[in-house]
């Protein structure tokens, strides 16, 4: 049996990711800078979710900004496909 579909429209997924506005992006990066920077300064490293390429770019930018702010290198590495680790150079924990 063949059925014809008329007036079919694709509905957006309810949990679809929408891009952040420039202002939202700036606020989010500032939040990450403060929160992750605080954890790195106390513990030497931090792990944070990075599910999308944009999440990864954002964390790399935060690591670079922390490096410039502290004058001490903050390194980053992907632990797996969903998580990044930011840490101070020389930190082994």
């Amino acid at each position: 049996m063949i059925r014809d579909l008329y007036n079919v429209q694709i509905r957006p997924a309810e949990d679809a990711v929408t891009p952040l506005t420039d202002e939202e992006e700036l606020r989010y990066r500032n939040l990450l800078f403060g929160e992750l920077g605080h954890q790195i300064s106390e513990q030497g490293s931090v792990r944070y979710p990075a599910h999308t390429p944009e999440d990864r770019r954002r964390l790399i930018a935060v690591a670079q900004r922390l490096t410039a702010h502290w004058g001490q290198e903050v390194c980053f590495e992907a632990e797996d496909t969903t998580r990044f680790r930011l840490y101070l150079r020389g930190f082994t924990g």
Side-chain angles (χ1 to χ4, degrees), residues 6-91:
Y6 297 102
N7 296 324
V8 175
Q9 297 178 358
I10 297 175
R11 293 180 53 184
E14 291 184 22
D15 61 347
V17 176
T18 58
L20 299 177
T21 65
D22 290 341
E23 181 183 344
E24 291 169 333
E25 181 68 30
L26 180 62
R27 287 192 322 218
Y28 188 43
R29 285 186 187 214
N30 287 338
L31 174 74
L32 289 175
F33 176 80
E35 294 296 319
L36 298 181
H38 180 70
Q39 289 182 17
I40 292 169
S41 70
E42 285 188 346
Q43 302 168 4
S45 72
V46 67
R47 289 171 172 80
Y48 199 78
H51 298 281
T52 66
E54 184 55 41
D55 290 338
R56 293 178 193 91
R57 283 191 291 272
R58 193 175 289 127
L59 290 173
I60 291 169
V62 168
Q64 292 169 342
R65 185 174 164 198
L66 286 168
T67 295
H69 181 71
W70 288 336
Q72 184 175 3
E73 187 174 9
V74 176
C75 303
F76 52 89
E77 64 183 18
E79 290 195 318
D80 55 34
T81 58
T82 63
R83 188 171 48 183
F84 251 47
R85 178 175 174 244
L86 281 67
Y87 59 96
L88 294 173
R89 164 112 18 234
F91 181 76

